[in-house]
Amino acid sequence: MIDFHHTLYLCWYLSPPWCQEIPLVEVNLLEKVYICTTRTFGYCCGIRWEQDRWIYAVICNEDIIYTTEHQIIGTGEMQLATQELPAFVLGDRVMLRSDDQWTKQRIVLGIYLLNKSWFYYVESMPPALKETTSLNDRLAFVPQKNLVRVLF
């Protein structure tokens, strides 16, 4: 007999929260955007999956504004990147460089540029069978150096 609870616990990372196909993003990282609510321009410095949609982090006048696709308009103009581009993209499978006993594979659910370094949101623990925690409670903010790409 198959222990479904144990199987779910070991394989939860294979089921991204957006189901089959990853939804398209409205703007790209480092793209100049117009923020409708504040009527200002800024640059997209992060994207994260939250509450069944993408949330965009936009740096504007040294502040970071979090917004949805309905509140921003991409200009198509990219910021000249003096730093490296991110090593991983949204939806990539990665492994944590750690020595825990459970599976280390994760899916990239968010990317942020912070102090000229790339950071990624990945789930740090499996979902509970009874939803007592949200996806946001289960996410870890991980520097690029702590992740390795999974080839399949």
Side-chain angles (χ1 to χ4, degrees), residues 41-92:
F41 286 92
Y43 285 93
C44 179
C45 64
I47 303 171
R48 174 177 161 184
W49 185 258
E50 185 176 311
Q51 298 175 348
D52 297 329
R53 64 179 178 206
W54 294 118
I55 299 295
Y56 301 86
V58 178
I59 190 156
C60 180
N61 300 325
E62 298 185 17
D63 290 325
I64 296 179
I65 298 169
Y66 296 92
T67 183
T68 66
E69 71 275 5
H70 303 296
Q71 300 164 331
I72 57 174
I73 300 170
T75 64
E77 181 183 326
M78 301 300 287
Q79 180 181 24
L80 296 176
T82 56
Q83 67 280 342
E84 293 180 24
L85 294 176
F88 309 105
V89 298
L90 297 168
D92 271 356

Side-chain angles (χ1 to χ4, degrees), residues 18 22 54 89-93 106-109:
W18 48 74
I22 185 169
W54 294 118
V89 298
L90 297 168
D92 271 356
R93 284 191 190 178
R106 305 289 188 265
I107 294 176
V108 174
L109 300 175

